[in-house]
Amino acid sequence: MIRMIGGEMPEYSEEHPPAGGVLLRHLLERLPTGIRVLVAGPHDIGLIGALAERRDVTCLVRSQPEATAIPDVTVLCGTLSKLTDADRYDVVVALDGVGRLCSPEDTPLAWAESVRILARALRPGGTLLLAVENELGVHRLVAAGTPTAARSGDAWRPIGEFGDAPGRPDRLAATLAAEGLPVTALAAAWPLPQSPSLLATPETLRHGPLDALAALAAAAVSPVYADEPVLSDPRRLAAAAVRRGIGAELAPAWLVVAQRAARPGQAAMSLPQALTAGPSGSVTELIGTPDRGWLRRVVRGWSPVLSPATGDGTESRPGSPMTAVPLPTGRLLEERLLTAALEHDLPALRRLLTGWMTELPMVAAGNVLVDGDRYAPLDPSVPDQPDVLARFAHTLITGGYHHPWPGVTDLARLIAVLAGAAGLDTAPEAPGADGPHGRREQEIQLDTLRQRLADAEDRCRFFEIELDKREAELGRAKTQIAAFSGNLGYRAAKAGLVLARAARNRIRKGRS
């Protein structure tokens, strides 16, 4: 059933994808059953359907075509300011943020005003699940365009970095608390606000396994920008932000759980310490324990991790998680390989390549943790790839990294060199485009090519000068030879020299 509440947009369809993904669906499935839920903003149809299986769901969207596409639930079509206080809800879900809740048919609302309206829709003790985009997140820092120069059809109010949303997790919590919504849980979301594949609390990012979390952040942003032009490689920026302790501040978005005046005895909804989504739709939870360190447990989907309970891969559904196994320790193999290449440390580079190709020859360097002589996959659910060495060579040569073989500029030759250093008999074929196309890395490659071209021009100029000198000397020698070989004095001197040599030879014979 659709109710027009005013400010609806009859002919407009949202250009950008709605909020969704396996992580958000997993979190919403943890909500209690039998409650009333308001889903504010565009959300994935599958996510809404899973939420509505055992709950009373009402959706609020501004686009009439989007409203007609939502089945089997009550839909309020219109702008956020038309939402009345007549209906109250146990949970308000705004995982798309508040930026797409208003329409040009009404006065636009600031971020705080939109949150205030959502808070009024909550019952006492109700819970708000809100996603807030970080205007200084990694996704904005590497974007080739700017939000103030947006060219999309919904950019009638492109305030960009001039928005009024809180810019830090602590300010976000303080702002919501001032609105009567104290934050009970907060997590940083990677790689995009609408579809995160990694969630981690600020405490986990500060005190958790930094190397593993940095690798997970880099792996989360890698597929999103595989074919996108960016200013710089987002994988390096994401990993550096987590490792330097500012992962929460540079995360693309924050997922907040806030509760309005909780009733006595009511338990607040919490968020796991860290959640990751695998390429096969699995969800893995990272658990920090005081005695066993950090553990990894599959809570949704299938994982090839050997379960201590079954001894083989296990199918895990919500409510029946697998047994937790220790999280591998160590540093990301790709980072160690790049460090050894930059330092021209050939023994370390050969040792890492040989160990990699011996232990995990089908696992990408960005998914391997190295701890001494131990090589372990970071995410076992990632499918094997037969050309992982060629992909690393592509990263090394297109990323503008210096390596011990500066004369090798061709990708196929570099793959052959790395294969030889790893002890392989045959080199894999060159892969296609892999990784983001960073303008900074392209500028580095152009600067390298310009320098090599300048060196080649200097050598050519030197050889031309030397060749001119040799030709001049050869011309003078030919002139002298021609001048002396044709006159009478030269011929007489030559005949006298022949006679003198003959006389000398006769004298030597007579003495002997």
Side-chain angles (χ1 to χ4, degrees), residues 12-241:
Y12 177 77
S13 295
E14 301 290 349
E15 295 186 21
H16 303 289
V22 63
L23 281 191
L24 299 183
R25 180 169 180 171
H26 172 72
L27 292 178
L28 293 183
E29 286 177 344
R30 299 173 58 188
L31 292 175
T33 60
I35 61 175
R36 295 196 66 196
V37 180
L38 173 65
V39 180
H43 288 70
D44 184 71
I45 299 297
L47 188 148
I48 296 175
L51 188 61
E53 288 181 356
R54 294 178 293 174
R55 302 162 189 89
D56 182 10
V57 175
T58 301
C59 294
L60 171 65
V61 292
R62 62 185 181 181
S63 168
Q64 188 170 343
E66 303 289 338
T68 56
I70 302 176
D72 304 330
V73 297
T74 302
V75 180
L76 306 178
C77 184
T79 187
L80 177 63
S81 61
K82 303 298 183 180
L83 191 66
T84 64
D85 298 338
D87 294 331
R88 298 294 181 90
Y89 303 89
D90 299 298
V91 176
V92 173
V93 177
L95 298 179
D96 189 70
V98 298
R100 294 197 281 182
L101 293 178
C102 299
S103 73
E105 306 297 331
D106 195 6
T107 303
L109 301 176
W111 184 87
E113 295 172 337
S114 300
V115 172
R116 195 172 298 121
I117 294 177
L118 293 179
R120 289 204 305 264
L122 287 172
R123 291 175 176 173
T127 302
L128 172 65
L129 274 68
L130 176 66
V132 181
E133 183 178 3
N134 182 9
E135 296 173 356
L136 290 178
V138 168
H139 68 302
R140 291 279 188 92
L141 297 179
V142 302
T146 62
T148 54
R151 296 292 183 267
S152 56
D154 60 351
W156 52 78
R157 191 170 174 247
I159 55 178
E161 65 269 20
F162 306 111
D164 57 351
R168 287 197 330 223
D170 54 348
R171 291 183 178 178
L172 174 60
T175 303
L176 290 177
E179 297 293 338
L181 295 169
V183 173
T184 61
L186 187 146
W190 304 79
L192 293 177
Q194 289 80 19
S195 56
S197 59
L198 170 63
L199 294 175
T201 63
E203 292 76 15
T204 302
L205 292 174
R206 281 195 298 265
H207 308 294
L210 291 183
D211 290 326
L213 290 172
L216 289 173
V221 302
S222 180
V224 176
Y225 299 96
D227 300 320
E228 295 291 332
V230 292
L231 296 180
S232 60
D233 193 342
R235 298 172 297 177
R236 305 289 167 254
L237 183 58

Side-chain angles (χ1 to χ4, degrees), residues 247-265:
E249 285 74 11
L250 293 185
W254 303 294
L255 181 62
V256 181
V257 179
Q259 200 157 8
R260 179 182 179 184
R263 296 185 296 270

Side-chain angles (χ1 to χ4, degrees), residues 151-422:
R151 296 292 183 267
S152 56
D154 60 351
W156 52 78
R157 191 170 174 247
I159 55 178
E161 65 269 20
F162 306 111
D164 57 351
R168 287 197 330 223
D170 54 348
R171 291 183 178 178
L172 174 60
T175 303
L176 290 177
E179 297 293 338
L181 295 169
V183 173
T184 61
L186 187 146
W190 304 79
L192 293 177
Q194 289 80 19
S195 56
S197 59
L198 170 63
L199 294 175
T201 63
E203 292 76 15
T204 302
L205 292 174
R206 281 195 298 265
H207 308 294
L210 291 183
D211 290 326
L213 290 172
L216 289 173
V221 302
S222 180
V224 176
Y225 299 96
D227 300 320
E228 295 291 332
V230 292
L231 296 180
S232 60
D233 193 342
R235 298 172 297 177
R236 305 289 167 254
L237 183 58
V242 173
R243 188 171 287 112
R244 301 304 180 221
I246 54 175
E249 285 74 11
L250 293 185
W254 303 294
L255 181 62
V256 181
V257 179
Q259 200 157 8
R260 179 182 179 184
R263 296 185 296 270
Q266 182 183 14
M269 180 181 177
S270 61
L271 293 176
Q273 293 173 293
L275 282 178
T276 63
S280 59
S282 61
V283 177
T284 303
E285 180 181 358
L286 302 185
I287 308 168
T289 60
D291 52 346
R292 299 178 59 189
W294 284 88
L295 306 178
R296 176 173 57 194
R297 180 178 64 184
V298 178
V299 294
R300 182 189 184 93
W302 183 89
S303 175
V305 179
L306 293 182
S307 172
T310 61
D312 57 1
T314 301
E315 177 74 20
S316 176
R317 303 182 183 276
S320 59
M322 278 181 54
T323 304
V325 296
L327 180 70
T329 59
R331 190 170 180 182
L332 197 63
L333 172 63
E334 186 178 53
E335 295 179 355
R336 294 195 59 181
L337 287 171
L338 293 176
T339 301
L342 291 172
E343 295 177 350
H344 288 205
D345 190 350
L346 286 175
L349 196 57
R350 292 193 186 98
R351 182 174 63 254
L352 291 171
L353 289 172
T354 303
W356 178 27
M357 290 294 102
T358 302
E359 299 293 335
L360 300 171
M362 304 286 283
V363 183
N367 192 34
V368 177
L369 291 178
V370 181
D371 188 3
D373 295 332
R374 181 175 177 273
Y375 296 76
L378 176 64
D379 186 357
S381 65
V382 176
D384 292 339
Q385 298 173 335
D387 56 347
V388 292
L389 186 63
R391 291 178 180 273
F392 171 71
H394 185 273
T395 299
L396 187 62
I397 201 168
T398 60
Y401 298 100
H402 293 285
H403 53 77
W405 309 281
V408 179
T409 59
D410 180 67
L411 178 59
R413 290 183 59 196
L414 183 59
I415 294 174
V417 169
L418 293 177

